[in-house]
């Protein structure tokens, strides 16, 4: 990453630490209980975030997941879907996750999943810091500044961190 992007990486790291703290505080009785009908359990939220880091780490390495948008559509998706997210710092309500990022119906054991998550987050940060290109080729957004990609991960992590709160529903 460029020198200017380190602030983005520091903000991302703060989001990661906050998410891990919230995830570790989830009680064993809440881990597998959906927050509300049709919603994910805290364990499923943790798995979803781990999957996002694992898949997006592959994107950093230039390996797109099997799903992608047609190249001609990517600038439109970047402008009209990603742009507002980056400007507002939050996701559009009701956004759906791509199938590859959806967790299993039953959450894994907390210790195992938390270790997987921590490893995926740390590896993403290490890889993002090592990228020398100012842009990445995203399977949905096309050419994307690396700082925006890291910022998107931060926004995503913060978005789901709120869902781990005992009051989340």
């Amino acid at each position: 990453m460029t020198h200017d992007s380190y602030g983005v990486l520091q903000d991302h790291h703060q989001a990661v630490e906050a998410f891990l703290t919230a995830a570790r505080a989830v009680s064993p009785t809440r881990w597998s209980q959906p927050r509300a009908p049709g919603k994910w359990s805290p364990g499923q939220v943790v798995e979803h975030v781990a999957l996002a880091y694992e898949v997006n780490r592959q994107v950093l390495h230039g390996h797109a997941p099997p799903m992608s948008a047609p190249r001609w559509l990517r600038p439109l998706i970047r402008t009209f879907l990603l742009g507002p997210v980056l400007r507002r710092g939050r996701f559009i309500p009701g956004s759906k996750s791509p199938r590859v990022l959806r967790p299993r119906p039953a959450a894994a054991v907390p210790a195992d999943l938390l270790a997987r998550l921590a490893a995926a987050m740390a590896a993403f940060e290490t890889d993002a810091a090592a990228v020398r290109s100012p842009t990445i080729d995203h399977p949905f957004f096309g050419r994307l500044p690396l700082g925006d990609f890291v910022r998107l991960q931060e926004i995503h992590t913060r978005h789901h961190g709120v869902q781990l709160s005992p009051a989340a529903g």
Side-chain angles (χ1 to χ4, degrees):
M1 282 184 102
T2 65
H3 177 70
D4 296 339
S5 300
Y6 281 113
V8 172
L9 201 52
Q10 287 175 327
D11 291 344
H12 174 269
H13 188 75
Q14 289 173 353
V16 163
E17 289 300 318
F19 187 91
L20 286 169
T21 297
R24 290 176 179 132
V26 172
S27 71
T29 55
R30 280 189 54 238
W31 185 258
S32 298
Q33 299 301 314
R35 299 181 335 271
K39 300 289 185 182
W40 289 337
S41 69
Q44 288 173 302
V45 169
V46 169
E47 182 178 10
H48 165 70
V49 173
L51 286 165
Y53 276 99
E54 291 163 354
V55 168
N56 286 312
R57 186 167 172 235
Q58 293 301 312
V59 172
L60 279 175
H61 289 282
H63 305 294
M67 53 36 169
S68 66
R71 287 214 177 267
W72 66 268
L73 188 57
R74 293 176 192 183
L76 295 171
I77 295 171
R78 182 175 57 244
T79 300
F80 295 109
L81 295 179
L82 177 63
V85 169
L86 292 173
R87 279 192 303 278
R88 292 187 341 235
R90 58 189 161 87
F91 281 93
I92 299 164
S95 298
K96 299 290 181 195
S97 296
R99 187 175 314 272
V100 71
L101 300 181
R102 292 183 193 152
R104 293 175 291 182
V109 174
D112 295 343
L113 193 48
L114 289 168
R116 174 182 167 194
L117 173 65
M121 290 173 150
F124 177 86
E125 286 187 340
T126 298
D127 291 353
V131 170
R132 295 294 171 234
S133 173
T135 61
I136 56 117
D137 187 19
H138 193 277
F140 285 102
F141 308 126
R143 277 281 178 228
L144 187 64
L146 180 59
D148 286 355
F149 185 57
V150 173
R151 172 105 169 97
L152 179 61
Q153 304 319 303
E154 173 203 339
I155 293 167
H156 183 255
T157 301
R158 288 188 194 281
H159 167 77
H160 288 295
V162 171
Q163 296 172 348
L164 298 178
S165 158

